[in-house]
Amino acid sequence: MSIKAVIFDFDGTICNTGEGIMRSAKYALDSFDIPCEDWEELTHFIGPPLLVTFQEEYNQDVSQASELVKKFRERYSKEGINECCLYDGIYDLIKSLKADGFKLGIASSKPEKYVLELLERFDIAQYFDAVCGVSFTADCEPKQSIMARALEALEVSNEEAIAVGDKFYDVDGARANGVKSIGVLWGYGSKFELIECSADFIAEKPGDVEAVALDLFERTDNVQGIFNGRILTMHEDDVTLCNGMSAKRECVDHPGGVAVIALTDDDEVLLVRQFRYPYKEVIYEIPAGKLEKGEDPFEAGKREFKEECGAVADEYFSLGELYPSPGYTNEIIRLYGARKLRFESQNLDDDEFLQIRRMKFDELIERIMSGEIKDAKTVAAALKLRELTRK
């Protein structure tokens, strides 16, 4: 593929607008005493044109459905439009795609006025080269037609674009225009729906969209379990590469970890020294530990810091995330800094043996640069903290 443009659906793909849409649909139906489900169950209003949904789902004729649409907008324009948020990771995805040089467009069955208003509100309007929605007087335009308008506005051919959406309407609209499609799993469509309508790719997270657009995506076809331990799970996967060839990938699943680099008032860093069995060495590292299932990373960082060092900080701050070895594991280590320390008591596990050491921050940097201290999370956290303190 040689992709030049990425065309997004809006509701359920870029923006989680479900609450506002469903509450407004409920408001319209209740206003005309039409029996319906609780508002949380009205997901069928997300995606297709409102006029069509009111007719097909509630047996309304065109005239009655038009009145329902007016009543829907009565609430949505005042309240519903505010009941929404960007999906996690979407802002970074949009920004990255633009930095990669792609043209970006939107093809939505939502009124264009609402789309533009929300793009401005979430500060992403400047990244889009074309926004194609419907008008209030012609809101039953099929997705195929909206997609065609987006292609024309972006000045790309169907082979040069890829469409991103969460429902079969988006996939069907793309296929009708000869455009490859990415079905996303964070919206309102199911994986079964996207497979059934033959989406060309399925994205589990926003970053997958960029991988497909860059022609670097690897599709998982089969997962074969190898080992399931107390912490780690290992599996061998059959994948299809971006060129269509098959390959195998060995992967270790890890629940993720946290690490804390703490500075005392004397500009010393708290380190732990322990024997690391895989390397058969005693090494220096900052206090760290693994996440428990469902545990908040920040709370886990504070917990591990207190357990290993017997310390509590009045000030914690994020130093970002670290992928320690992306070639074979999905582990993510969340890094935190800490200042204004108070010392209490350690609470080590029965199989945990370590010594606490204090080291001047400058000495820590020197030992890192000389290669004496090699632990990845310690190196990354120390260098990040040094850059942060300089600023």
Side-chain angles (χ1 to χ4, degrees), residues 345-362:
S345 59
Q346 283 180 300
N347 184 25
L348 300 177
D349 295 332
D350 293 338
D351 61 349
E352 193 172 23
F353 303 93
L354 53 83
Q355 299 173 347
I356 302 172
R357 290 289 186 268
R358 296 190 182 204
M359 187 181 295
K360 286 292 186 181
F361 192 23
D362 287 343

Side-chain angles (χ1 to χ4, degrees), residues 81-293:
I81 196 169
N82 299 313
E83 298 165 331
C84 65
C85 62
L86 289 182
Y87 284 103
D88 289 343
I90 286 296
Y91 182 87
D92 290 338
L93 170 63
I94 298 301
K95 189 175 179 180
S96 293
L97 287 171
K98 202 61 183 176
D100 292 330
F102 293 105
K103 292 182 177 181
L104 301 183
I106 288 176
S108 173
S109 297
K110 193 182 196 70
E112 193 169 300
K113 178 181 181 295
Y114 292 152
V115 176
L116 290 169
E117 182 176 336
L118 290 171
L119 291 176
E120 290 287 352
R121 179 183 304 173
F122 294 117
D123 196 29
I124 55 175
Q126 68 271 24
Y127 297 115
F128 287 91
D129 303 283
V131 176
C132 297
V134 299
S135 68
F136 291 118
T137 57
D139 60 356
C140 205
E141 183 180 2
K143 202 57 175 278
Q144 174 183 349
S145 173
I146 303 170
M147 182 72 64
R149 288 198 286 116
L151 288 168
E152 183 178 359
L154 291 169
E155 298 181 329
V156 293
S157 66
N158 52 3
E159 295 89 356
E160 295 173 326
I162 193 157
V164 185
D166 67 314
K167 298 284 288 181
F168 72 90
Y169 303 101
D170 307 307
V171 176
D172 290 350
R175 184 183 303 107
N177 283 280
V179 174
K180 287 190 177 296
S181 60
I182 304 174
V184 305
L185 297 183
W186 56 83
Y188 289 90
S190 66
K191 188 172 185 178
F192 177 78
E193 175 184 334
L194 295 171
I195 292 173
E196 190 175 47
C197 67
S198 301
D200 294 291
F201 303 92
I202 293 179
E204 296 183 3
K205 58 185 186 299
D208 293 343
V209 174
E210 184 179 21
V212 172
L214 291 170
D215 205 15
L216 296 174
F217 186 67
E218 297 181 1
R219 186 185 73 225
T220 303
D221 298 318
N222 182 57
V223 177
Q224 177 64 48
I226 297 175
F227 170 77
N228 187 16
R230 182 172 60 90
I231 299 173
L232 305 176
T233 299
M234 184 175 181
H235 48 94
E236 183 181 65
D237 299 356
D238 297 318
V239 303
T240 299
L241 305 178
C242 52
N243 63 359
M245 294 181 62
S246 297
K248 291 185 179 294
R249 295 283 185 258
E250 293 179 354
C251 184
V252 176
D253 290 343
H254 188 284
V258 290
V260 178
I261 183 167
L263 274 177
T264 69
D265 293 339
D266 297 324
D267 206 34
E268 292 178 324
V269 176
L270 295 184
L271 300 172
V272 296
R273 203 176 186 202
Q274 58 187 319
F275 184 80
R276 286 302 196 180
Y277 184 81
Y279 293 102
K280 305 295 194 295
E281 291 182 22
V282 175
I283 67 172
Y284 283 106
E285 55 190 291
I286 56 177
K290 70 177 180 66
L291 281 169
E292 302 297 338
K293 186 175 181 180

